[in-house]
Amino acid sequence: MSFRIVVLASGNGSNLQAILDACDPHMQVVGVLSNKPTAFCLTRAQHQGIPTAVIEHSHYPEREPFDAAMCEVIDAWQPDLVVLAGFMRILTPAFVNHYASRLINIHPSLLPKYKGLHTHQRALEAGDSEHGCSVHLVNAELDGGPVLAQMVVPVLKQDSAETLAQRVHKAEHLIYPAVISWFAHQRLQLNHGQIVLDGEPLLNPKRQYLA
Ligand code: GAR
């Protein structure tokens, strides 16, 4: 039986594409959900015959019913893992608890640095020599939750927020499918809050450098 992945995305979906391209016969993206009807991620999914759904947050004045509507759609796809790939809505604790231990996110910074928005600009303004992205388990805190893996990219003297973002995107497209495959191939286990990777406790995020 294949490992069932549901992806939530709000925009272009380049991370979704990287995940789709990296799927092996044991991994299947079984649904893509967006909060934006015109998001290109939906087109990417449809091109590959993957079921899509849209739940527009603007139709829900409160977060709870929006998240409950999403849960209904997601649960019908029976996911083993729910993957946030540029999904730009804050999730309620009820949603996060519902998918506890099987909900992951990618964030464009080396967490715990630069939670929230404009991460590339903030790294430049701080004069950082390194920046990157993090894949983490999602908990009720925004961009919180234990970090599983990070990919570091250099910050170059001539970088703008755009050139830096492009480099981070490259790193994201490598690291996110890799972490998803840890789940799909049972390399990563969660034992009473402890993260175990390949039989060893994961005490610090796996760190790699973009070549
Ligand atoms: C990615 O850079 C991802 O890290 C970021 O949105 C972008 C989506 O790009 N996510 C966040 O900022 C979440 N806090 P994509 O639509 O091309 O995959």
Side-chain angles (χ1 to χ4, degrees):
M1 235 180 48
S2 62
F3 184 83
R4 300 173 67 83
I5 300 161
V6 166
V7 178
L8 272 58
S10 302
N12 175 23
S14 69
N15 277 287
L16 166 67
Q17 191 65 56
I19 294 163
L20 291 172
D21 294 346
C23 272
D24 62 31
H26 178 63
M27 297 158 65
Q28 198 187 352
V29 176
V30 293
V32 173
L33 172 62
S34 184
N35 59 317
K36 297 219 172 142
T38 56
F40 189 60
C41 57
L42 294 167
T43 310
R44 291 182 191 269
Q46 285 152 7
H47 274 155
Q48 300 205 208
I50 294 165
T52 59
V54 176
I55 299 180
E56 291 186 63
H57 64 273
S58 52
H59 294 176
Y60 295 82
E62 308 280 338
R63 284 189 203 283
E64 284 77 10
F66 171 67
D67 280 11
M70 289 203 296
C71 282
E72 213 170 293
V73 170
I74 296 167
D75 286 348
W77 284 325
Q78 301 183 301
D80 296 305
L81 186 67
V82 178
V83 172
L84 306 178
F87 187 68
M88 303 309 273
R89 304 300 304 165
I90 292 173
L91 299 164
T92 56
F95 183 97
V96 170
N97 290 336
H98 186 71
Y99 297 107
S101 305
R102 53 181 176 132
L103 179 61
I104 59 173
N105 182 43
I106 190 156
H107 183 73
S109 77
L110 297 173
L111 289 170
K113 277 188 159 180
Y114 313 132
K115 296 179 177 181
L117 298 174
H118 311 301
T119 58
H120 313 300
Q121 190 57 40
R122 286 156 72 197
L124 286 176
E125 280 166 11
D128 291 354
S129 59
E130 289 184 334
H131 183 46
C133 55
S134 306
V135 177
H136 64 94
L137 288 166
V138 176
N139 66 12
E141 189 201 332
L142 178 68
D143 299 323
V147 178
L148 303 173
Q150 296 184 312
M151 190 168 265
V152 180
V153 308
V155 179
L156 307 181
K157 267 205 187 74
Q158 67 274 21
D159 265 332
S160 63
E162 288 71 32
T163 57
L164 186 53
Q166 281 170 15
R167 199 171 307 118
V168 171
H169 254 113
K170 259 193 208 163
E172 291 186 329
H173 299 161
L174 296 170
I175 196 177
Y176 216 8
V179 172
I180 292 168
S181 88
W182 294 352
F183 280 88
H185 295 280
Q186 276 90 48
R187 291 180 55 194
L188 188 128
Q189 263 101 34
L190 300 160
N191 298 336
H192 307 291
Q194 191 182 54
I195 301 162
V196 176
L197 179 64
D198 294 332
E200 300 287 335
L202 185 72
L203 303 175
N204 295 299
K206 275 267 176 211
R207 255 197 171 208
Q208 279 181 281
Y209 289 76
L210 184 71

